[in-house]
Amino acid sequence: MHEAIWIIPLAPLVGAYINGKLAALYARRGRGPSEKLIAAIGVVAPLVSFVVACSVFLHFRGLEGAERMVIVDLFPWIVSGNLNIGFSLMIDSLSMLMVLVVTGIGTVIHIYSVGYMHGDRGFARYFAYLNLFMFSMLMLVMGKNLLILFVGWEGVGLCSYLLIGFWYKDLANAAAGKKAFIVNRIGDFAFLIGMFVLFVATSRMGEGTLDFVALRAMVSEHPQAFAATATAAGILLFIGACGKSAQIPLFVWLPDAMAGPTPVSALIHAATMVTAGVYMVTRLSFLYLQSDVAMAVVATVGAFTALFAATIGICQRDIKKVLAYSTISQLGYMFAALGVGAFSAGIFHLMTHAFFKACLFLGSGSVIHAMSGEQDMFKMGALGKKMKITALTFIIAAVAIAGVPPLAGFFSKDEILLYTFTSHLQPLGMVLWGLLFIGAGITAFYVFRAVFLTFFGERRYTDEVAHHVHESPLSMTIPLILLAVGSIFAGFLGVPGVLGGSNHLHHYLEPSIGLLAAHGDDVSHAVAAGHASQSAEVTLMVLSVLAGLLGIFVAYILYIRRPDRPAQLTMKLGRLYHLVYNKYFVDEAYDAMIVKPGYLISNRFLFNLVDVKIIDSIVNTIGVGTRLMGSLFRLLQTGVVRTYAFFFLIGILYVIYKMVG
Amino acid sequence: MDLISTVTFLPLFGAIVLMFFPREHEGASRVFSFLVTVVAFFLSLKLLYGFQTNADMQFVKDMPWIASLGISYKVGVDGISLFLVLLVTFTMPIAVLSSFRAITDRVKEFHVCMLLLETAMLGAFVSLDLFLFYVFWEMMLIPMYFLIGMWGGKRRIYETIKFFIFTMIGSLLMLVGILYVVFQFKAQTGTLTFDLFRLYDVQLSAQSQWLVFLAFALSFAIKVPMFPFHTWLPDAHVEAPTAASVILAGVLLKMGGYGFLRFAMPLFPEAALRGAPIIVALALIGIIYGALVAMVQKDVKKLVAYSSVSHLGFVMLGLFALNSIGVTGAIYQMLNHGLSTGALFLLVGIIYERRHTRLIEDFGGLTRVMPWFAVYFMIVTLSSIGLPLTNGFVGEFLILLGAFKANPMWGIVAAIGVVLGAIYMLWMYQRVFFGEITHAENENLKDLSGREIAVLAPIIALIFFMGIFPNPILRRMEPAVDKFIERVVEKRVARESQAGFEEFVVENDAGAGEVR
């Protein structure tokens, strides 16, 4: 059974194809199959993947470390010169975890979508795109080489583009989709170059390859020889990750991406696609470990993004935008972990985040659904009474992200903070810890600000809206409950030793991370484990919990006890508030510095001056013949085509005659 | 007749028969020429079927033609020209079928031109004799002049002249070059021959080799077209009828790259290496420049035309990377460009037939009224911007990797073109297909008809097939590509030992890159 891992990506592809056909037929004929059929196909496809993934997982249970590996070479894909790229899939411990997260949470979100998208004209199209996304994402995490990973990488980008612009009649949505694709392409540009660097470097050492297994073996064999390559390729590939995972300076597309349907935001723009960069860096951990520079870049960008995005999250009015900036910030935490060598901590946070952030997004979707599309939190309030399940699950997820023990976010975030603090890259590690620590407090604040504004306090909407407010259907609340349960318990997979746990997840991932065990145990572990005394570890833990609680408390004071204060504060802070509220004007800066000048130069200078005025005038004045030929051609034009064709034919006949004769 | 000659001359034969058709029976002319092109396509598949994966010229037919001048009728295909021949025979039925409703004036003559053009293009790809090649090369131009000049748009006369000036200059220079090479060869060996493979051994002084290479290169560069010789292309496309645009973009533009590959580079390897930095520079400028200018176009067809300048810059870059990955990628990209740009022109033609405008601002929101059209357009767009699992990705990736191997800066600059490609294509797509319908005329547009789907579906199928299974094609190309590189590089190495070329050795090291 476990050799059939190709079923995992194939099932959603088949689903996408069938629903795509149905969508196209529906669009043409104006009527089509029932939503039930479409939903059944759409939900069963990822479910099949999930079941197969579980069977592989069970198969893995009996195996030791490096034996947990299934490889399927389907067919040679691109072969030319010394380039030999196979269409090959692989599942090892790391991929296993990713596949389970993607298919598990993916299936849940597909179920939620059935209720959320009910009655939409594009119902079939929606599920086709969503299944296509599952296919691409699974290719990404199961690819055995960088190029198959890139297939998924671009594929998820395409699906993201299609789904952000799902309601394409509103040009703003379509523009947001396009922006996402293009910003990602800028990252992909660096990603491509990074691949080239790796390939050329390995070619020089004998065998050019982009295969993860082969690369890891090569790097393990000669770690020192890869130092320069690791820096160059590592940074370039990370720029690609900055695009996909919305890190500074390429994060600008993610907030706009909230234009898509909310389940899409949950699945693609929170739980799975945006974590692709984290997965990719972890997948290449053996390479990154060879370059302190590349690692420092990853950690620094991650930590700065974590704090930067969190501050923007404070001022947003739109509930989805709060969650979007929160996602950017949380991804920053993951990268910070990777950068200090705590790869399993990064993946741990990726997993817990997938639960609680998907839960938050779906919860916000449930609210938006009930409020007939309203997303401004300042027009909500007191929804908790009417939407008990939504409110409860949302609060559970909020507590989890705030880092309150014993919920999921506490364990994973705490591990990240610990490892940055004890990183061997000092004093950088301390600085990063400081940023992340402040970020933790702010995270708790903005997420509880959202909780209080949405579910508590006074009602700030009209009676008419109030009339419609209702708890969402079961197809939506059951996924919420499932994800909330995950938000509570997922953390127990990684309970640290100091709290009496044994950090299962860390051990499970070990075989996939760092150099091959036979070669460089000491290197990977020294970096990853970063030792601190037990008392220091406990102190850090207490501090981060306190930061979270403080954030919650401040939010409570400002939005429940003294709801008049925020407005006064805004007034007081004036300019600063304005700056943060407008997201530091990054979009505007890009527009003024790159987009507009680029267009102007292309239009005024390149096209109208160089092409039309310079080159064409030269051509038009070339030789004396221009006008002459003009008149000559006029003569030709007055003739009958047949005459010319006839002469032409005579010539050809002569040629043939000579040839045969 | 042998297989290659049959495929090549079948359309000509069809054209002769078609001439005797009564002028009133337009439908008969259409169906007849369509059938001829379809038969030619199936015959050409026998070439693919019988092709052995090795570096040799196959299906070779060699017989004296004008013996007194050393001119022979020599044709054959290798792994490079085989697929270009297939590209011609595949594109022609599609182009003919696409013209069924668009061409209503002088229908018979139109199809005669189309069939003559097919023979000329096939002939140029299979010729192994320089004179024969030149005959077909010139023969291609005549029907093309007529196609643009008679069935074109409003400014067609001006454009035909522009096209004429550009291509005539190139052709004449090439003719001079051919004659020079032939006479030099005669002076050296005493044999008068136009046989390409024998002429490969011609010995030229550095200076004269450089000049002759420039003559050939200019002729081919205009055809490609490379910056700054590209300005005839957008205008020719805008005026040309859809079918002619499809052939122009799909096949004719490949002549330039093919000319470099078969003639200019193997005949004059030292000069080719000496010129490589210049040509690569122009290719890189073309990639970026074409993309930026495409971005600001208001007319969809012009946008696609400028995108061709950018895409063909990739092709030239791959060729002059001079390693097997880059060259393979370049040839693959020629096929891709033929398919995806051909398809884009078909799509633009389809909407033009309905609305008689191609301005982007006249559209918007078309997805709602023409969903199938939108889907097909999207798939072709994705192929054009090189999304993985479409054909475009394979070509672009190989070219960029090959270029990067030769010189990292080349790969990096060219990769910027990939980003720009996404910008201009998706921006155009958004303005044409998304949003609300803003022009009342667009409310009642009809979606694709059965005939239009029949025109597009084979291309769509190939876009995916060539993206997922490129290897059957790459594998067949590889030996011929290796032989080409060997010829260009080894000939140079052999000559270096003869002294007199030291100056190039130094210069060429940068251009030769990984070749050694």
Side-chain angles (χ1 to χ4, degrees), chain A residues 111-226:
Chain A
I111 295 169
Y112 177 94
S113 299
V114 176
Y116 192 84
M117 297 303 288
H118 170 69
D120 194 286
R121 248 184 77 93
F123 196 77
R125 187 163 57 92
Y126 174 84
F127 276 97
Y129 289 167
L130 213 57
N131 278 350
L132 187 64
F133 168 77
M134 292 295 286
F135 161 73
S136 306
M137 190 68 206
L138 289 165
M139 291 296 288
L140 198 162
V141 296
M142 288 172 66
K144 183 167 171 278
N145 56 58
L146 258 180
L147 213 59
I148 297 290
L149 183 150
F150 192 67
V151 169
W153 188 271
E154 291 276 280
V156 291
L158 168 70
C159 298
S160 166
Y161 164 77
L162 292 169
L163 281 162
I164 295 168
F166 182 75
W167 289 305
Y168 56 82
K169 276 181 211 160
D170 187 345
L171 259 188
N173 297 348
K178 187 195 64 178
K179 179 174 172 185
F181 196 93
I182 289 168
V183 173
N184 269 296
R185 267 265 156 147
I186 296 171
D188 295 347
F189 158 77
F191 193 110
L192 267 176
I193 307 288
M195 278 199 280
F196 297 159
V197 169
L198 261 184
F199 183 76
V200 171
T202 50
S203 295
R204 290 227 176 87
M205 300 184 69
E207 191 194 352
T209 184
L210 292 175
D211 185 286
F212 293 128
V213 178
L215 274 175
R216 196 172 172 203
M218 273 177 105
V219 177
S220 300
E221 196 75 40
H222 312 282
Q224 294 83 12
F226 276 90

Side-chain angles (χ1 to χ4, degrees), chain A residues 332-407:
Chain A
Y333 276 88
M334 296 173 210
F335 281 111
L338 307 185
V340 296
F343 293 99
S344 59
I347 294 292
F348 183 27
H349 197 56
L350 183 161
M351 185 194 75
T352 58
H353 175 257
F355 282 105
F356 57 69
K357 187 54 66 65
C359 186
L360 288 171
F361 262 116
L362 294 188
S364 79
S366 177
V367 169
I368 295 165
H369 200 67
M371 299 285 294
S372 319
E374 183 58 69
Q375 295 186 197
D376 186 343
M377 295 184 297
F378 287 87
K379 294 183 181 152
M380 296 176 184
L383 285 168
K385 286 171 213 143
K386 290 199 168 181
M387 309 179 70
K388 289 211 170 64
I389 301 175
T390 304
L392 185 66
T393 53
F394 196 94
I395 293 167
I396 290 172
V399 176
I401 195 178
V404 176
L407 274 68

Side-chain angles (χ1 to χ4, degrees), chain A residues 439-454:
Chain A
I442 297 178
T443 304
F445 171 75
Y446 68 65
V447 78
F448 270 87
R449 170 176 173 267
V451 168
F452 294 136
L453 280 174
T454 310

